Amino acid sequence: MELKPILRNDGLLHPGLIIIPGGGYNHLSNHEGENVAEYFGKPGINCFVLKYDFMFPQSLYDVKKAVRLVRFKAEEYNTDPERIALMGFSAGAHLAGLCAEHFDAFETEPKEPLDTLSARPDLCCFCYPVVTLSKPYGHMGSRITLNGRDDLAETLSLESSVRADMPPAFIWHTFEDKSVPFENSVELAKAMAAAGAECELHIFPKGKHGLDLAQNIPGAENWPALFADFLKRHNFLQTVKS
């Protein structure tokens, strides 16, 4: 696990955003990381780009360690430990969802002080997420490379493990996505609503898979502004004195 901080050093505590690139659990996309961090860093968010292992459960351990590390080093990072969000793209969104749902599961014995901290993110953003690992809408490539075990497919399908106490989530997708069908996001939103977990879902008409900031894509180009509004409503854009 590697975490690259992109910080504001102004003596204030900023909210934190851990960005998890996609790549089908076999590589890391090079357009869903630092460019996104630079964009969301402008309004005052401290961003962290995560490089993670592709095999489960190490992939989950990596994202949970990232959340705990930001909390543990909150003072050093000028980051509010109670305002840490995850933003994932495609398979990275699936990994963010695993952390949101299993923040207190698949745990190991603490080996260092940060291991005792909560791995629950305070908010999530799922961008064209891989959600289900089962047909007809499942992303079979992610299923195979993530673990390949049929007995874990249901547990690791996000729609099967939602819980009322998972963090609020902003979800967006496009109808034209052929790699990860938009039904993934619909199934996750339906499951979250049924469980009493808060989510906001946007499905835009145009755009292929892997849009990152979706610049110049009609409709989808508005997702960053919609997410910023979501952040404001959850008090995620304010800075406080350290």
Side-chain angles (χ1 to χ4, degrees):
M1 186 275 282
E2 295 181 18
L3 196 63
K4 181 176 181 179
I6 300 174
L7 308 175
R8 301 173 72 92
N9 297 309
D10 53 9
L12 300 174
L13 287 182
H14 294 263
L17 180 65
I18 299 171
I19 298 167
I20 310 175
Y25 286 115
N26 60 44
H27 70 282
L28 292 179
S29 169
N30 61 9
H31 64 89
E32 295 168 342
E34 291 187 32
N35 58 320
V36 178
E38 291 173 1
Y39 182 93
F40 284 103
K42 292 176 182 177
I45 301 174
N46 280 337
C47 295
F48 306 81
V49 180
L50 177 64
K51 181 178 180 181
Y52 55 93
D53 193 277
F54 301 135
M55 288 293 292
F56 182 85
Q58 189 59 51
S59 53
L60 178 57
Y61 296 157
D62 284 356
V63 68
K64 290 167 77 170
K65 184 174 182 178
V67 174
R68 287 172 165 142
L69 183 63
V70 174
R71 286 207 166 103
F72 187 73
K73 293 190 173 183
E75 183 175 356
E76 176 183 338
Y77 289 154
N78 293 320
T79 299
D80 187 343
E82 296 182 357
R83 288 187 297 162
I84 298 174
L86 294 180
M87 174 183 286
F89 295 83
S90 191
H94 180 262
L95 184 54
L98 288 180
C99 183
E101 295 178 349
H102 300 291
F103 57 85
D104 55 1
F106 298 104
E107 291 283 75
T108 59
E109 288 295 322
K111 296 180 180 178
E112 48 188 323
L114 66 86
D115 293 335
T116 64
L117 299 179
S118 173
R120 181 187 182 276
D122 299 297
L123 185 146
C124 288
C125 179
F126 303 133
C127 309
Y128 40 90
V130 171
V131 171
T132 184
L133 300 182
S134 301
K135 295 180 179 180
Y137 307 121
H139 192 255
M140 294 299 103
S142 292
R143 171 172 171 163
I144 292 169
T145 55
L146 175 65
N147 188 272
R149 286 173 49 186
D150 290 340
D151 62 317
L152 279 174
E154 182 174 356
T155 299
L156 301 184
S157 290
L158 301 184
E159 80 280 9
S160 300
S161 299
V162 297
R163 49 196 285 182
D165 62 344
M166 63 188 291
F170 179 96
I171 310 168
W172 73 275
H173 222 121
T174 64
F175 284 120
E176 292 186 336
D177 192 331
K178 303 302 182 185
S179 298
V180 179
F182 72 88
E183 286 89 350
N184 279 261
S185 287
V186 172
E187 290 303 308
L188 178 56
K190 286 168 57 179
M192 290 186 69
E198 180 186 346
C199 71
E200 178 173 320
L201 173 64
H202 297 272
I203 304 180
F204 303 103
K206 300 293 183 181
K208 63 181 182 178
H209 188 70
L211 292 179
D212 55 80
L213 296 171
Q215 294 174 325
N216 301 316
I217 305 297
E221 64 186 353
N222 295 312
W223 85 260
L226 292 168
F227 179 57
D229 183 63
F230 184 78
L231 290 174
K232 289 177 183 176
R233 285 185 276 113
H234 288 83
N235 299 315
F236 248 78
L237 289 184
Q238 293 86 349
T239 56
V240 296
K241 292 183 178 180
S242 59

